[in-house]
Amino acid sequence: MDFEKIREIVEKEPDEAVEDVLEGVKERYGEIPYILNFMKDMPDLLIPKVMYDNSIMREFERLDPKTIELICIGVSSAIRCDHCMKMHIRVAHRLGLTKEEIFDAVLIGGAMSNASVLAEGTRALDLEFNGTKPDCDEDCDVCNITNNGNGCKVKNED
């Protein structure tokens, strides 16, 4: 959303601005997501949220809309947000993505979610049973590349 469009929206009466913003969302998605519909009586929250979301997911040209929807589906799957996942699946379907392409995004999200569970669980086990703090474990080749300023040591491969 360019600055001129933002200025236009901000200068409108709140109800008119909300109507315009939601109309743009409906054009993009083919529907108004529940969260935005819920917030329609809160223009001071709704408008900045939509502008922020648009600036990240809709306004740049580095990723195409299909890729953005696949990312949304994968993340929704990983964080187990059924509502977001269903909406983004509908949007992806409207964009022409196949069931198989969408399922691949779900599988990737599931793999990332699984990795997150395992990463946290194994680190907690190491800490409890070995007394080591895995983030700075001197025997870990991944953590020991170089000190990255966060207290995590990582080892140089020179």
Side-chain angles (χ1 to χ4, degrees):
M1 188 173 293
D2 65 27
F3 285 112
E4 194 55 43
K5 181 69 173 164
I6 291 170
R7 187 182 338 268
E8 240 178 72
I9 290 169
V10 172
E11 289 175 354
K12 291 182 180 188
E13 289 298 315
D15 289 342
E16 187 182 356
V18 166
E19 187 178 314
D20 285 355
V21 165
L22 291 179
E23 185 178 309
V25 168
K26 189 170 184 175
E27 280 178 33
R28 173 65 77 162
Y29 285 117
E31 63 188 271
I32 298 172
Y34 171 82
I35 296 167
L36 301 184
N37 196 44
F38 183 89
M39 294 172 68
K40 70 183 175 191
D41 296 326
M42 303 172 217
D44 54 327
L45 297 174
L46 172 72
I47 292 169
K49 178 187 178 9
V50 171
M51 287 180 182
Y52 176 76
D53 290 352
N54 278 344
S55 69
I56 292 171
M57 298 194 317
R58 305 290 171 220
E59 296 300 325
F60 56 72
E61 298 178 6
R62 294 182 296 268
L63 297 174
D64 64 277
K66 289 180 179 182
T67 301
I68 291 169
E69 288 309 316
L70 290 172
I71 292 168
C72 291
I73 291 165
V75 171
S76 298
S77 297
I79 64 172
R80 297 180 180 154
C81 182
D82 187 48
H83 307 292
C84 293
M85 189 175 3
K86 287 177 180 175
M87 195 211 71
H88 286 287
I89 287 172
R90 287 192 303 272
V91 173
H93 189 232
R94 280 189 211 108
L95 288 172
L97 286 158
T98 66
K99 181 179 178 181
E100 293 76 17
E101 290 170 315
I102 294 168
F103 185 58
D104 288 348
V106 171
L107 288 172
I108 291 167
M112 294 306 299
S113 179
N114 178 267
S116 174
V117 168
L118 292 174
E120 288 299 311
T122 55
R123 282 173 172 77
L125 283 168
D126 265 348
L127 183 58
E128 181 63 31
F129 286 92
N130 300 329
T132 59
K133 186 175 179 191
D135 287 341
C136 295
D137 183 352
E138 291 183 22
D139 295 329
C140 177
D141 288 335
V142 174
C143 291
N144 293 320
I145 295 172
T146 181
N147 188 334
N148 65 10
N150 296 338
C152 182
K153 299 174 191 168
V154 275
K155 177 179 158 190
N156 281 324
E157 294 297 323
D158 301 6

